[in-house]
Amino acid sequence: MPRPVLIFDFDGTVALGDGPLLAYARAVAAHTASAEAFVSSVAARLAAPADDVIDGYDVVRRLSLDAGVGEAALAAAYADSRTRLGGADAPVSTAPGLAAFLAATDAERLLVTNAPATRLDHALAAMGLNGLFDRVVTDAAKPAGLDALLDDLGDGVAVLAIGDVWRNDLAPAHARGHATALVGGYIDPAARPTFRADTLDELLPAVAAWVAAARVDAPPARTSSTPA
């Protein structure tokens, strides 16, 4: 029987904190009338995001467009911010129990992100996660890219997708009957995850139980780890 597969998103799931988002905002701010005011507005919105935003990057993008920053400048600012990932200008952290979980789990561990590979190894090392993923897929173009990856896994493989954005990280897996785990506070009315929690640490016991069930060919649990 093939090993069960855990598919982790990166930003907002494995990598936590507003450091990369504020680095993005500072890079955008160079194209606005008042850099300080723009960064402050981003920080305030990240602290209390509107219900209709997808994630923190959507917050920065929307405020940037409202400030008159064009798509080309926005893309350049994002690329610049990724050159700082995991450093003093864009620090990241991770769930305290994740490294130990990844080292011990009897599952294939995939990291699948729409972000580029820029400084990703550096960020993983800074979080103590270097070498703990069996495969890292960057520029994944989720959600369509997740569908393609699931096709490549073939039939009969138990999959649990873990992420903070329902439509990108989890919906393609859910549509195929795979298990999903939604983490974080961003709300999507369409979300129907198998497991749900505010933090990844809260989810890890349910993920471990799912892996154990999948290893003995038992049907994975289909109840939420916390009330949705």
Side-chain angles (χ1 to χ4, degrees), residues 18-169:
D18 289 342
L21 296 166
L22 293 175
Y24 184 20
R26 288 191 293 271
V28 170
H31 303 278
T32 66
S34 173
E36 184 177 350
F38 178 78
V39 175
S40 294
S41 69
V42 169
R45 191 68 64 85
L46 289 173
D51 289 343
D52 62 341
V53 299
I54 299 170
D55 62 5
Y57 286 94
D58 192 33
V59 169
V60 179
R61 181 179 182 278
R62 290 184 184 214
L63 290 176
S64 300
L65 295 177
D66 289 346
V69 179
E71 292 285 0
L74 196 58
Y78 173 73
D80 177 78
S81 73
R82 298 311 281 195
T83 67
R84 307 172 193 278
L85 181 65
D89 292 335
V92 288
S93 61
T94 195
L98 182 58
F101 171 83
L102 292 172
T105 189
D106 192 14
E108 186 175 358
R109 307 150 301 174
L110 274 58
L111 183 64
V112 180
T113 175
N114 284 351
T118 309
R119 282 182 64 89
L120 185 59
D121 287 347
H122 179 93
L124 289 172
M127 293 185 289
L129 302 177
N130 206 29
L132 292 179
F133 290 98
D134 299 295
R135 180 153 56 118
V136 176
V137 180
T138 59
D139 295 305
K142 295 182 290 185
L146 182 55
D147 265 319
L149 185 147
L150 292 169
D151 285 340
D152 289 343
L153 292 178
D155 297 328
V157 178
V159 174
L160 171 56
I162 304 163
D164 66 314
V165 179
W166 173 258
R167 68 182 72 177
N168 286 348
D169 305 327

